[in-house]
Amino acid sequence: MRALELRLVFLGKGHPQVAMSCSSIASTQMKLGNLEAALERYEEALAIFIASVGPRHVFVAATLCSVAEVHVKLDKPEQAMACYKHAIENRTADVGALHPSLVYIHYEFAILLERKTLFAEARSHFATALAALTAEYGADHEETQSIQACLDRVD
């Protein structure tokens, strides 16, 4: 909390470092089970990141994934899905559909879709993650094979 206070004083509320402090506090809150407090801090960080670095930045996507994770823990899958969709749309517009920074987002979204028995949608996101990993690391890479196993599971 002290780091956040100092950053607010010296950098101002709209600085990305303030958002990073908010995210760190939110992560701790989440680990402690204070999900509503975590959600509030992540949303604060998200607003700062969007205003300071733009909606397509990787920090925004990462924060959206964190917000989605809290929503999953709060048993609010629709809100989580909206966060993942938003993160995918923004990053894809910035770096292209098969960029490695999208793999985690597609994977986590696919896992959630699979849990909701939305297998066709889950398959699509696993396939996109697989294509990105295959392009980056090749078919024999451990992570590529792990995503392939997930895709096989929903086929």
Side-chain angles (χ1 to χ4, degrees), residues 89-151:
E89 289 168 2
N90 287 346
R91 288 301 292 153
T92 299
D94 192 41
V95 297
L98 298 181
H99 193 272
S101 69
L102 285 156
V103 170
Y104 170 80
I105 306 168
H106 280 290
Y107 172 78
E108 289 297 324
F109 191 22
I111 293 292
L112 178 57
L113 292 165
E114 182 182 12
R115 277 191 228 135
K116 296 286 293 171
T117 66
L118 299 169
F119 298 117
E121 290 180 63
R123 188 175 304 111
S124 172
H125 288 281
F126 281 136
T128 302
L130 179 64
L133 281 174
T134 302
E136 186 72 14
Y137 301 120
D140 294 331
H141 191 272
E142 181 181 345
E143 287 182 40
T144 306
Q145 291 177 352
S146 175
I147 297 292
Q148 180 64 61
C150 292
L151 183 59

Side-chain angles (χ1 to χ4, degrees), residues 34-131:
N34 301 328
L35 299 178
E36 294 295 340
L39 184 59
E40 187 176 313
R41 284 290 183 187
Y42 277 133
E43 288 176 342
E44 184 179 356
L46 182 61
I48 296 168
F49 280 139
I50 289 170
S52 62
V53 298
R56 295 179 177 173
H57 196 278
V58 68
F59 291 168
V60 173
T63 306
L64 281 165
C65 289
S66 296
V67 171
E69 187 179 346
V70 174
H71 282 305
V72 167
K73 290 179 182 286
L74 289 170
D75 196 28
K76 297 179 179 179
E78 287 73 27
Q79 289 91 330
M81 289 189 284
C83 289
Y84 287 130
K85 284 180 186 177
H86 192 67
I88 289 168
E89 289 168 2
N90 287 346
R91 288 301 292 153
T92 299
D94 192 41
V95 297
L98 298 181
H99 193 272
S101 69
L102 285 156
V103 170
Y104 170 80
I105 306 168
H106 280 290
Y107 172 78
E108 289 297 324
F109 191 22
I111 293 292
L112 178 57
L113 292 165
E114 182 182 12
R115 277 191 228 135
K116 296 286 293 171
T117 66
L118 299 169
F119 298 117
E121 290 180 63
R123 188 175 304 111
S124 172
H125 288 281
F126 281 136
T128 302
L130 179 64

